[in-house]
Amino acid sequence: SPPLQPFSPRSRYQPGNAANMFTYSGPRRVKVAGLWDEQMLYAAAHQDLLKDVHLLVGTPEHLARVATSGNLRLHQLQALVIDEADVCLPMEATSQLMRRLEEACGAFAVPRPQLLLAGASISASHVEQAARRGWVQAPLLVSPTRVESCAAALLCRPDGELEQRVPSGAAHEYAVCERPEELLGTLCRLLRLLFTALPEGEAAARPTPRVVVFAPSADAAVDTASRLQAALWSDIDGDATAGLWGLSVLLPSAEDTLTSRSVGEGEDATFAVLESSLRVMEMFRANQTSVLVTTAAATRGLDFPQVTHVINLGIVGSAADYVHRAGRVGRIGQRERGAVLSLLLPAEVPQLLQLGDELHFSPTPTAAPEPPPLAQLAAEGEGGGASFIAPSGDEESIAAEEVAKALEDIYSLYEGEGDDDGMAPPPGLP
């Protein structure tokens, strides 16, 4: 895990704030420790990290290692929670940890702790795997609406699988782009509408947008953020080379040291700074950034307050992936209804509709914001007919701004694409 950069902004999302998930009225003075890297393992072995700890959070690998070293008194455990169980259960580290737990409980003649398998995409095979290994007995299924025997829940399903659903309350929409190269321009216009296009009174009455964008790969995430930065920073008086227009990139393997990648050449280059992953998450959690661009590998465990929109660039690979992405909105304590928007190619629409049938939601089509018809305006201007911009008054000013903004978008979003990928601006742009 990369070291946390010296950054600790004062956040309005503090424990006890009714507007977030940290509202808490239970036991106080609970000591919590974490095990996720070599530094924490060293602290557990030599610096009393685990002394008087009530709650320990860690990865299966690091928990198994500290248990094997004898620095964790497993026989004193009262409860063990395996979060994201569909991912953790097949791990050899989880099996090793459970073996050590059984040995410790047997040696001290104490009962094993209660085991809880948690996650939004647990299947019947995962429950059966845990039962077959003796980790659970007569398991109960606990959902937001009921508590029942897992066996009874499976009997109610013709396919014998535990039912998956997307979180309730969120809107699910999709917009169709005819060509792949239109996706980025559409995303840019959507973000501009979210942050700058509403009238002043209406904008003040709604919550500040907080957006998570899922790109198909790490390289695509960095490239998308860089081009969006160049296109959007001037809209809110930002600095194109510092701060990414309130936009940051979260990659699963973020660098230990800060690095940068550039888009463009020479003095016109803009930079996407890849921060430490912990700092990126802290900045977005504290509302220091408003747009987080990440990848499918980071769909699990991103627990940020008040996320209003999730935007998928392209089709989501599986039902489990969609459930976890949609779960970034509508977190505990969130008062506003969130939205999940997928930007798709025409061939991908049937796949989304199939996901809707499987997860019990109905995606609705929405019109993507269209770019100004610059090609038509330019042709009319060159032919001596209509003016390139509106003839007079406020209409002239508005049209000029639209034309200038569209031309800036072409430069920022599509520069260099033709040489590398054969990409060109979308239809309607010169």
Side-chain angles (χ1 to χ4, degrees):
S1 175
L4 181 63
Q5 303 297 322
F7 179 83
S8 55
R10 183 71 177 174
S11 172
R12 62 189 178 94
Y13 299 111
Q14 296 295 326
N17 185 337
N20 67 73
M21 67 167 292
F22 298 107
T23 302
Y24 180 70
S25 58
R28 302 288 174 173
R29 302 184 184 278
V30 176
K31 184 177 179 181
V32 182
L35 287 173
W36 59 76
D37 60 12
E38 297 297 327
Q39 182 179 357
M40 295 295 101
L41 287 177
Y42 180 86
H46 304 288
Q47 299 175 352
D48 293 329
L49 173 69
L50 304 183
K51 183 178 180 180
D52 299 326
V53 165
H54 302 95
L55 178 61
L56 180 62
V57 182
T59 67
E61 176 188 357
H62 293 92
L63 289 173
R65 289 175 60 183
V66 77
T68 302
S69 69
N71 294 310
L72 180 62
R73 298 183 179 92
L74 291 174
H75 64 282
Q76 296 180 349
L77 283 182
Q78 297 181 8
L80 176 62
V81 179
I82 302 180
D83 195 15
E84 308 294 356
D86 55 320
V87 173
C88 294
L89 281 177
M91 293 181 178
E92 175 58 31
T94 302
S95 299
Q96 182 181 356
L97 176 63
M98 295 304 296
R99 286 194 297 267
R100 295 293 300 174
L101 177 62
E102 293 174 4
E103 293 171 0
C105 292
F108 286 88
V110 296
R112 288 182 301 180
Q114 182 181 19
L115 178 65
L116 174 64
L117 306 179
S121 50
I122 301 176
S123 70
S125 61
H126 299 122
V127 179
E128 292 170 355
Q129 177 185 355
R132 187 171 58 252
R133 296 183 176 186
W135 298 350
V136 295
Q137 296 178 356
L140 293 177
L141 173 65
V142 181
S143 72
T145 58
R146 64 189 187 276
V147 177
E148 61 181 329
S149 163
C150 276
L154 294 176
L155 287 175
C156 295
R157 294 280 293 169
D159 55 1
E161 287 291 331
L162 297 175
E163 189 174 49
Q164 294 187 56
R165 290 178 178 267
V166 294
S168 60
H172 299 268
E173 302 174 331
Y174 66 92
V176 179
C177 300
E178 294 298 326
R179 302 192 303 172
E181 51 268 31
E182 295 180 29
L183 292 171
L184 189 56
T186 301
L187 173 61
C188 177
R189 291 187 291 275
L190 282 170
L191 292 175
R192 185 173 288 133
L193 285 173
L194 281 176
F195 285 93
T196 65
L198 287 182
E200 184 174 346
E202 185 177 348
R206 67 170 189 174
T208 302
R210 286 169 53 78
V211 184
V212 177
V213 178
F214 286 101
S217 67
D219 286 340
V222 174
D223 186 67
T224 297
S226 300
R227 295 179 185 278
L228 286 176
Q229 168 203 354
L232 293 172
W233 72 275
S234 61
D235 290 328
I236 56 173
D237 300 322
D239 181 348
T241 60
L244 280 179
W245 178 75
L247 183 153
S248 54
V249 184
L250 176 63
L251 302 181
S253 57
E255 291 73 6
D256 289 341
T257 58
L258 300 183
T259 61
S260 64
R261 301 187 189 184
S262 63
V263 176
E265 297 180 356
E267 296 180 355
D268 295 326
T270 59
F271 293 90
V273 179
L274 302 183
E275 303 275 10
S276 152
S277 59
L278 291 180
R279 181 176 181 182
V280 168
M281 289 188 288
E282 171 67 9
M283 291 174 69
F284 189 70
R285 184 196 66 83
N287 211 25
Q288 300 298 307
T289 56
S290 301
V291 180
L292 183 70
V293 182
T294 185
T295 67
T299 55
R300 297 172 183 259
L302 296 184
D303 193 1
F304 299 116
Q306 306 301 324
V307 173
T308 59
H309 296 78
V310 166
I311 301 178
N312 298 312
L313 292 180
I315 191 63
V316 180
S318 67
D321 287 341
Y322 194 95
V323 166
H324 286 281
R325 295 190 191 194
R328 300 318 101 199
V329 298
R331 310 297 289 182
I332 296 175
Q334 183 167 334
R335 296 175 176 175
E336 300 294 333
R337 185 188 187 199
V340 182
L341 173 64
S342 299
L343 300 182
L344 305 176
L345 299 176
E348 296 172 330
V349 174
Q351 301 176 56
L352 180 64
L353 298 179
Q354 183 178 352
L355 285 176
D357 292 338
E358 186 174 349
L359 298 174
H360 305 279
F361 72 91
S362 299
T364 57
T366 185
E370 294 289 337
L374 295 188
Q376 176 182 350
L377 290 174
E380 291 173 348
E382 292 172 357
S387 172
F388 184 73
I389 58 177
S392 63
D394 292 339
E395 293 182 356
E396 178 179 352
S397 175
I398 294 173
E401 290 180 2
E402 291 181 351
V403 169
K405 183 61 64 180
L407 292 174
E408 289 177 4
D409 287 350
I410 295 172
Y411 179 80
S412 300
L413 298 175
Y414 301 101
E415 182 196 13
E417 295 291 348
D419 296 337
D420 297 334
D421 309 298
M423 291 177 61
L429 297 182

